[in-house]
Amino acid sequence: MKIAFGCDPNAKDLKKVLMDEARNLGHEVVDFPSDDPIYANVAIAVAESVVKGEEDRGILLCGTGLGVSIAANKVPGACCACVADIYQAERATLSNNANLLAMGAQVVGPESAKEFMKAYLGATFDPNSRSAPKIARISEYEKEQK
């Protein structure tokens, strides 16, 4: 899987840890810059790239994970879930078909973040699941807004 990683300066260290872990798991990593203190810029860039299909999924990091998640979700076609536990990370894919995951470097530690990322990347959305109509409704609404 090809994964885009982006963060603000608060999360540079965690981004490096997660990129290394992703490589160790056999994934291809695309690193987006981390020097811009305006987290929305990197979040939007990563989300646009994932939505265009340049990467399969994206991982976004900031202090809380909230800001990058909100910014990414402004990109049509982006579905970014901000998580703080392993169950949420797994369900981001299984129940919500999230193409981006956000975490907070000041909220979760590196070992937990690695486990969350593995759970997220290891799950696959089932288009025949009971969640499928719920996800379809979100997509329909998004298309109605254009």
Side-chain angles (χ1 to χ4, degrees), residues 17-121:
V17 167
L18 293 178
M19 288 191 315
D20 289 346
E21 181 71 10
R23 285 186 192 101
N24 290 339
L25 294 170
H27 299 290
E28 183 180 345
V29 168
V30 178
D31 184 8
F32 282 70
S34 336
D35 296 325
D36 190 344
I38 307 299
Y39 57 75
N41 292 329
V42 72
I44 291 167
V46 169
E48 287 178 339
S49 190
V50 169
V51 168
K52 288 178 190 171
E54 295 170 2
E55 292 83 29
D56 301 301
R57 296 200 194 168
I59 306 287
L60 292 168
L61 307 161
C62 66
T64 63
L66 296 170
V68 290
S69 177
I70 291 167
N73 281 320
K74 299 298 182 186
V75 175
C79 179
C80 185
C82 183
V83 303
D85 67 43
I86 199 161
Y87 182 74
Q88 290 176 319
E90 182 180 51
R91 297 316 299 183
T93 300
L94 294 177
S95 295
N96 299 289
N97 199 22
N99 51 7
L100 297 123
L101 189 75
M103 292 182 274
Q106 296 166 350
V107 177
V108 299
E111 293 306 312
S112 293
K114 287 194 281 190
E115 293 303 313
F116 302 167
M117 181 181 74
K118 284 191 256 186
Y120 166 69
L121 296 175

Side-chain angles (χ1 to χ4, degrees), residues 6-22:
C7 72
D8 72 359
N10 291 319
K12 275 185 174 181
D13 293 340
L14 183 57
K15 182 177 84 167
K16 182 184 179 329
V17 167
L18 293 178
M19 288 191 315
D20 289 346
E21 181 71 10

